[in-house]
Amino acid sequence: MVAEYFIPNPYITPHTLLGEGPTYVPSSDELYFVDIHRQTINGVALPESTSTKSYATTNGESAPAIEVFDTWTEGASQVRTTQYTEPIGVLALTPESPETFVVGAKHGFAVAKLVDAELQYKVDVYKADAEKHSIMRFNDGNVDAEGRFFAGTMMQEWGETGPAAIGTFYRLDPDGSVKTIYDGCMIPNGLCWSADGKTMFHNDSPTKTVWKYDYDMTTGNPSNKHALIKIEHPDMVPDGMTISAQGDLFIALWGGSRIVQHDSKTGDLKAIYKFPAEKVTCPTFGGKNLDELFVTTASQDESLDYVWSEEDAKKDQGGEIFRFKVAGQSGLPRGVYKGEL
């Protein structure tokens, strides 16, 4: 039997519409995240003093308890928000973070300086394609150990048939050049690498599949794509994902109120972490020892005119950020983009 846990309370309550891209900045002990619909980058300095509660498994499985951080009552008021004029899907650390990130914005890779709330595009990938320039945006991505920034694109809106497979995974190299890694993705998510850098993982959410590749850190090229994990539940799709130094994948399941922990070599399910929020979007490791998981979520109502209410929060706490520790698991240092800013 697989160990199941429940994380009963959020850590910070920023009431995001579509919270995504959690990024820990070790130099300042801060957490950053985006609200894609509100077109914001948000950051908060983590307090020195915190309290946690231990929670055993909810299904009686014999496994170590998890440590869940109590709600930081003043946390939401400490969040600093920078408003932009277009959606930002993912943040990449730079040597100047947290003042400066490279981001996957609507049209391409851009430098985001928080002090002036402006985006300076390094590359507009759809500049020569008027239709895609209008309908596409960047979603998730990550930076490898050599400082290359990978990020994928998706349709910004779609109908009942779902997004078309017209997205592309791009790689921004430190010399400023952009290369197409592959075409034909729908909603790219969850890019990460094994500790030795020899394996790359990512999700294409509507395919309900976690893909695994051989990875050449010298060239930055993935190869030998094959399916590692298939999410069989009809209402759950893999969203954001991170990997631990111990080799376990932590995968957010949109529509499933959970994160699932899988062995990255075998694909075997090891644990389930449930939340009082249906739309779980992305986990990342953070904290001074990189042994804490921060998890973003989305509101049940993602419309721009939605106003948060306590009554709604009793039913679903989507839009908030959760924080907890899993015994024996810690993260890998996040890659830093090495190109000019």
Side-chain angles (χ1 to χ4, degrees):
M1 187 163 59
V2 173
E4 296 186 10
Y5 298 89
F6 183 65
I7 292 82
N9 60 271
Y11 176 62
I12 305 174
T13 56
H15 308 330
T16 60
L17 295 178
L18 180 52
E20 278 279 11
T23 303
Y24 177 71
V25 182
S27 61
S28 57
D29 193 28
E30 292 179 304
L31 180 72
Y32 283 79
F33 56 96
V34 300
D35 187 337
I36 294 176
H37 292 336
R38 289 197 175 109
Q39 304 179 168
T40 61
I41 297 177
N42 312 275
V44 62
L46 300 174
E48 290 290 336
S49 178
T50 57
S51 58
T52 64
K53 290 185 177 68
S54 296
Y55 290 90
T57 60
T58 57
N59 62 345
E61 181 71 4
S62 178
I66 59 171
E67 295 292 321
V68 177
F69 285 74
D70 293 335
T71 300
W72 179 19
T73 307
E74 299 81 18
S77 66
Q78 301 300 310
V79 173
R80 305 178 306 279
T81 295
T82 306
Q83 180 76 51
Y84 291 87
T85 57
E86 59 188 73
I88 294 169
V90 60
L91 307 175
L93 293 179
T94 74
E96 297 181 17
S97 295
E99 290 82 7
T100 304
F101 295 93
V102 176
V103 304
K106 175 163 172 53
H107 304 302
F109 296 98
V111 175
K113 295 182 181 291
L114 301 190
V115 65
D116 57 14
E118 291 187 4
L119 293 177
Q120 301 171 357
Y121 269 93
K122 294 179 69 65
V123 182
D124 181 339
V125 299
Y126 291 126
K127 189 174 183 179
D129 189 327
E131 181 182 5
K132 284 192 172 182
H133 201 269
S134 172
I135 67 173
M136 304 296 285
R137 70 165 175 84
F138 270 71
N139 195 46
D140 203 0
N142 207 344
V143 179
D144 76 2
E146 291 299 316
R148 309 178 186 98
F149 183 16
F150 292 70
T153 62
M154 60 177 281
M155 294 180 69
Q156 189 159 336
E157 297 178 354
W158 57 86
E160 293 182 1
T161 58
I166 57 174
T168 301
F169 240 121
Y170 293 99
R171 188 185 76 213
L172 174 65
D173 287 342
D175 65 5
S177 63
V178 171
K179 296 178 175 60
T180 296
I181 301 303
Y182 67 86
D183 290 309
C185 54
M186 288 184 278
I187 303 180
N189 268 307
L191 186 66
C192 57
W193 289 266
S194 59
D196 63 7
K198 294 181 179 180
T199 309
M200 187 180 90
F201 307 87
H202 85 88
N203 310 320
D204 192 357
S205 295
T207 71
K208 301 168 80 69
T209 304
V210 178
W211 299 99
K212 182 177 182 178
Y213 301 76
D214 296 332
Y215 187 73
D216 187 333
M217 190 62 74
T218 301
T219 63
N221 294 325
S223 61
N224 191 26
K225 177 182 179 181
H226 60 281
L228 175 67
I229 300 162
K230 187 75 172 180
I231 304 301
E232 301 294 347
H233 194 287
D235 298 323
M236 302 181 192
V237 297
D239 198 328
M241 178 170 67
T242 191
I243 191 169
S244 70
Q246 293 73 29
D248 286 350
L249 294 167
F250 290 79
I251 310 161
L253 295 188
W254 176 278
S257 303
R258 68 191 61 189
I259 284 175
V260 287
Q261 179 183 348
H262 287 258
D263 186 299
S264 66
K265 292 183 178 179
T266 65
D268 292 342
L269 178 63
K270 299 176 70 173
I272 298 171
Y273 306 90
K274 296 182 179 179
F275 300 82
E278 182 183 19
K279 300 175 180 177
V280 182
T281 58
C282 190
T284 195
F285 281 98
K288 292 181 178 179
N289 297 316
L290 291 181
D291 61 351
E292 303 163 8
L293 277 163
F294 293 86
V295 180
T296 51
T297 61
S299 296
Q300 279 288 300
D301 186 341
E302 298 175 50
S303 59
L304 285 173
D305 58 358
Y306 171 68
V307 178
W308 178 88
S309 71
E310 290 187 6
E311 197 62 33
D312 287 345
K314 293 176 183 178
K315 304 171 187 174
D316 188 286
Q317 296 192 55
E320 319 301 13
I321 294 174
F322 296 79
R323 182 183 185 185
F324 67 105
K325 297 175 72 169
V326 176
Q329 296 288 320
S330 58
L332 298 164
R334 198 175 185 95
V336 178
Y337 177 66
K338 293 183 179 179
E340 290 187 9
L341 303 177

